[in-house]
């Protein structure tokens, strides 16, 4: 065992920040891979590493299976090109915030088995890369990239700091979620001092909505129903609503969480239409209710506060089944706490 | 001039954290004053000082001109009583986060001229107290109370830390606003380490909504109109909507900001009905548009991004006047940047 490395299962070596930095320090041609439906964390990692490695003279390319959304274009480093340099042949392939090779989508076939280094904070990471720098306690993957850059001796420029801050803010809901650690806040402080545009980043991540999103929120508020004495909330998103507002799938983020915010609501069921008779159920729960139990009875699964299932039938049919399961969870919880 | 003090105008002495701590250290009976429409910052300061001073053996009372909203009851220290002890006669009167004596409302007559110490972060504080610990750079008044407690040698208990965190999170929008400094984030880190319930606090401050509030948001989304090619948004809140949803005035907080979040919107006008023919206009602007100029033409005023005016007439009449003023601001901005 080398310093900074421990042997893992299936040929995956666990490395720490120093180990990851050592790999990056020597690489002359680096390909950075982002996950599908890219967010501020995977892109923040990629853009920060792009700037830092390019400044050290390396050739760097970023591959994102779903491209580079306009929403995050403000994070792109100066001179960034979405296309690799002509004839680019990577010497080191690095996946950032990619918890599983399937999240590489159409890039999985070409690169899924050829990832040299993965920098990630997902506990579920199966260790698909040759070397893995994983810390599930990290609030964001950019928190880990910050450690790697420190080991590389990279000075934080304002644009680097903004990329790292964006991932940190996005993955902690701007320090509102339970993954907000003292370390996350201290890194935020350091990044602001290095010139990160914290306020502008939060404005772009949290405060701005497209006209379509606002129209969708309007429709969602109008479709919101409260059952079981206000303890159960039901929300329906039809394909017609999607077509009418023109929102994309990623603009629906967070809608399923709206009804759970309402005082007294213990379970929120969101039905999103995927086909004429196909629905995706998202269950969100507060307090002691188990969302995964609600969905398990419907053939799905998930976590205690957020779970899902795919249901076939008319809206009336799938609602009846899902609402019955949620009411059962409510009853069991009441009996257990009576 | 004593150490930790500088002489101010009108008999008000400026003190630093050490000066404020020295005053509090000797006081046996302390009255803490909050501002009207109490928020998590003024209450967080008061409850933190209550716990810390009571633990040192002082008799402490908190007076809040608008009482103690249920929303913030989770911050109340163990054994807190909203009523002063019988025969309580304060030796030291301390106003926390109270930027002006008028904000004491019905308490101003009795205490406005008798404030011994004010701990505040409002630049506009006129210096009405005998001694003033003011730092307009502080993100929250609890940030200043934290400094005072440090000088007093008070160890941060989890409940104390939660009170201070609540003020910090509330006044920075959970570290999203432009007043979020590295110091604010570092204090947040320290408070989490001391046991502050950061996640639960943010849930209570930001994530929970009453049924009435949700119903009001629904009505607001339905009343939202976009004019001038989507650059102007108009929102109407009638007395009928208030009655129908049963929301209180303080539950309307933030509604006027909703339309400004929409991509492309440069000015958002919210008309809140105050009487049959009386309306309160709130103007919110993005980018370079001056909200105070929009409202000045209507007899009101305010800041560059948030201003207001009171208008008489039918909704149609007041809308016509306000929209004309907003369109003029849009035209002038276009001409200036053309």
């Amino acid at each position: 065992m080398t310093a900074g490395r421990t042997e893992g299962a299936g040929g995956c070596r666990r490395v720490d920040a120093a180990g990851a930095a050592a790999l990056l320090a020597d690489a002359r041609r680096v390909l950075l891979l982002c996950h599908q439906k890219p967010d501020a964390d995977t892109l923040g990692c990629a853009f920060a590493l792009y700037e830092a490695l390019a400044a050290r003279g390396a050739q760097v390319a970023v591959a994102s299976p779903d491209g580079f959304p306009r929403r995050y274009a403000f994070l792109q480093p100066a001179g960034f090109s979405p296309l690799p340099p002509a004839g680019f042949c990577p010497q080191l392939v690095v996946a950032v915030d990619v918890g599983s090779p399937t999240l590489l989508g159409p890039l999985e076939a070409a690169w899924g088995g050829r990832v040299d280094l993965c920098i990630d904070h997902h506990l579920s990471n199966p260790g698909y890369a040759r070397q893995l720098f994983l810390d599930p306690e990290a609030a964001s993957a950019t928190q880990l990239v910050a450690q790697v850059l420190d080991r590389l001796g990279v000075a934080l420029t304002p644009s680097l700091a903004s990329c790292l801050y964006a991932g940190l803010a996005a993955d902690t809901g701007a320090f509102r979620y339970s993954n907000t650690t003292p370390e996350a806040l201290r890194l935020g402080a350091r990044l602001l001092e290095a010139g990160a545009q914290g306020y502008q980043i939060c404005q772009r991540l949290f405060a701005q909505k497209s006209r379509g999103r606002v129209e969708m929120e309007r429709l969602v508020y109008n479709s919101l129903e409260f059952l079981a004495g206000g303890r159960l909330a039901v929300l329906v998103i039809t394909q017609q609503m999607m077509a009418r507002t023109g929102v994309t799938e990623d603009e629906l983020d967070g809608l399923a969480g709206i009804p759970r915010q309402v005082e007294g609501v213990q379970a929120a069921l969101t039905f999103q239409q995927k086909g004429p008779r196909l629905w995706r159920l998202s269950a969100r729960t507060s307090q002691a209710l188990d969302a995964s139990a609600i969905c398990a009875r419907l053939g799905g699964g998930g976590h205690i506060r957020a779970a899902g299932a795919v249901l076939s039938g008319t809206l009336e049919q799938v609602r009846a089944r899902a609402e019955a399961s949620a009411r059962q969870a409510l009853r069991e919880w009441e009996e257990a706490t009576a």
Side-chain angles (χ1 to χ4, degrees), chain A:
Chain A
M1 195 177 109
T2 321
R5 291 177 179 183
T6 57
E7 200 72 45
C12 173
R13 271 190 165 164
R14 292 291 288 268
V15 293
D16 59 13
L23 277 176
L24 290 164
D26 297 333
R28 306 312 303 154
R29 293 179 311 280
V30 181
L31 175 64
L32 302 165
L33 301 176
C34 295
H35 63 68
Q36 280 186 308
K37 291 191 186 180
D39 57 18
D41 198 24
T42 194
L43 291 171
C45 288
F47 293 151
L49 285 171
Y50 182 101
E51 178 182 329
L53 298 175
R56 290 169 62 93
Q59 263 201 339
V60 195
V62 181
S64 170
D66 288 330
F68 299 94
R70 195 170 58 90
R71 229 191 129 195
Y72 300 116
F74 72 101
L75 293 175
Q76 290 176 10
F80 173 77
S81 163
L83 296 174
F88 180 75
C89 175
Q91 180 190 355
L92 189 78
V93 178
V94 183
V96 284
D97 193 40
V98 182
S100 144
T102 61
L103 294 175
L104 292 171
L107 300 177
E108 187 186 2
W111 300 111
R114 291 189 50 199
V115 178
D116 299 298
L117 171 66
C118 176
I119 302 175
D120 189 26
H121 66 136
H122 294 94
L123 182 61
S124 56
N125 192 304
Y128 62 92
R130 273 205 313 121
Q131 311 214 31
L132 172 63
F133 175 30
L134 177 76
D135 181 0
E137 302 290 310
S140 67
T142 59
Q143 193 177 329
L144 302 177
V145 168
Q147 294 172 23
V148 173
L149 294 180
D150 284 346
R151 294 297 183 138
L152 276 172
V154 172
L156 293 179
T157 62
S159 55
L160 261 181
S162 281
C163 285
L164 301 176
Y165 198 95
L168 192 60
D171 273 25
T172 59
F175 310 109
R176 289 185 189 184
Y177 302 158
S178 56
N179 63 350
T180 303
T181 57
E183 292 69 36
L185 287 167
R186 287 215 176 85
L187 175 59
R190 212 185 122 206
L191 296 174
L192 287 186
E193 279 168 347
Q197 300 287 303
Y199 171 66
Q200 288 80 352
I201 290 166
C202 287
Q203 280 288 108
R204 284 173 182 273
L205 292 180
F206 304 109
Q208 280 182 11
K209 300 172 177 180
S210 68
R211 276 287 289 279
R213 164 76 186 212
V214 170
E215 178 60 12
M216 182 54 93
E217 288 189 15
R218 192 179 77 76
L219 297 175
V220 156
Y221 273 102
N222 285 330
S223 86
L224 203 53
E225 281 177 60
F226 297 97
L227 311 171
R231 290 169 305 157
L232 182 58
V234 174
L235 193 155
V236 176
I237 300 169
T238 62
Q239 288 185 314
Q240 196 189 12
M241 285 161 74
M242 298 281 292
R244 184 171 150 188
T245 57
V247 297
T248 52
E249 190 71 29
D250 69 293
E251 285 183 290
L252 298 179
D253 270 3
L255 282 182
I258 289 178
R260 187 174 47 175
Q261 298 178 351
V262 183
E263 224 175 0
V265 168
Q266 290 179 30
L269 306 179
T270 299
F271 298 89
Q272 193 194 338
Q273 190 174 26
K274 292 294 191 182
R277 289 171 55 85
L278 193 65
W279 301 83
R280 191 181 151 70
L281 166 69
S282 301
R284 300 283 182 275
T285 54
S286 312
Q287 297 185 22
L289 234 51
D290 185 351
S292 70
I294 293 174
C295 291
R297 280 190 286 268
L298 304 164
H303 305 280
I304 185 161
R305 295 278 171 271
V310 174
L311 301 169
S312 301
T314 65
L315 178 57
E316 289 64 36
Q317 289 167 341
V318 302
R319 275 192 60 161
R321 288 168 55 204
E323 286 170 25
S325 181
R327 284 177 195 271
Q328 183 178 332
L330 274 172
R331 265 197 314 276
E332 287 170 0
W333 181 71
E334 272 160 14
E335 284 163 16
T337 57

